Amino acid sequence: MKVVVFDGSREPRGPVGVRLRDVVERLREFDVEAEPVRLETVRVTGCTGCGQCAHRTCDIGCSSPPSDGLRRCARKIKAADALVIGTPVYAMHGSPATQKLLIRLEHDRRERGDRSLAGKAAVVVVGPPGSGAGAAAADVRRRLEAHGMRVLEAAMPVAGASEARKAAEVGDLVDLLLPALAPQPA
């Protein structure tokens, strides 16, 4: 069982980053392989998503997909059993780093016909709640559901919450994920 946990926030000590770090630790307590990835540190080599790399006769000299950090992130998602993606709110959307990842996944689905994400479980963490958080969560959810992913929840961690509230939020997220990771009866 493997879960990839993407943190799209710039501040790892913010409400989203702290909850995601705690989710990784808690999943590991249940012997789930949880891999954290900070999207702000992923090397993006300049792909504009033009789709020309999908054509055999392409010779436009852009970055090759294997050297791009977002391509590796997409491969991690495809190899995992579930995905947790967290982002702060940027103008009623996810962070720019989160947007880049979602655009790359969309490119794979549209241009390459990649349907490997269908059926995978996902949890969206957007925060803190307030102006635009609901719209940002809906945007990320819609983009993941376009791939056929099962989005289990869109959680919104509260900034300045007590330790008990943080633990409860993390517990709720882990409780959502664990049944989705259990082997399905044949």
Side-chain angles (χ1 to χ4, degrees):
M1 295 183 298
K2 182 174 182 177
V3 177
V4 181
V5 181
F6 288 99
D7 181 0
S9 63
R10 288 184 171 205
E11 179 53 58
R13 295 172 297 196
V16 172
V18 168
R19 296 317 182 284
L20 294 177
R21 184 192 67 227
D22 292 346
V23 165
V24 168
E25 291 172 5
R26 190 82 184 276
L27 286 170
R28 289 177 177 166
E29 290 174 10
F30 288 98
D31 294 325
V32 173
E33 183 184 346
E35 180 181 0
V37 177
R38 291 218 357 96
L39 290 173
E40 286 292 325
T41 63
V42 171
R43 183 172 175 260
V44 181
T45 57
C47 174
T48 61
C50 68
Q52 292 302 308
C53 56
H55 301 287
R56 293 181 131 178
T57 59
C58 172
D59 189 23
I60 59 174
C62 65
S63 64
S64 61
S67 66
D68 185 48
L70 290 176
R71 181 73 58 209
R72 286 191 293 279
C73 288
R75 284 195 295 259
K76 287 179 186 200
I77 295 170
K78 293 170 189 173
D81 298 307
L83 162 72
V84 176
I85 188 163
T87 181
V89 179
Y90 282 72
M92 297 182 16
H93 296 286
S95 70
T98 304
Q99 293 294 319
K100 287 177 188 175
L101 175 64
L102 295 172
I103 288 167
R104 182 61 55 91
L105 292 174
E106 183 68 17
H107 175 263
D108 284 355
R109 183 174 68 87
R110 284 189 177 173
E111 301 298 324
R112 299 172 189 257
D114 189 348
R115 304 277 184 234
S116 60
L117 300 181
K120 287 189 189 280
V123 173
V124 178
V125 179
V126 176
S131 178
D139 178 53
V140 175
R141 173 184 217 118
R142 178 185 50 78
R143 288 169 174 244
L144 294 175
E145 287 175 342
H147 296 281
M149 295 183 80
R150 295 179 300 123
V151 180
L152 305 174
E153 183 68 35
M156 295 178 207
V158 176
S162 67
E163 291 302 316
R165 171 85 186 250
K166 289 178 191 176
E169 290 173 355
V170 169
D172 291 345
L173 291 173
V174 171
D175 290 345
L176 278 170
L177 275 171
L178 290 177
L181 296 172
Q184 302 297 322

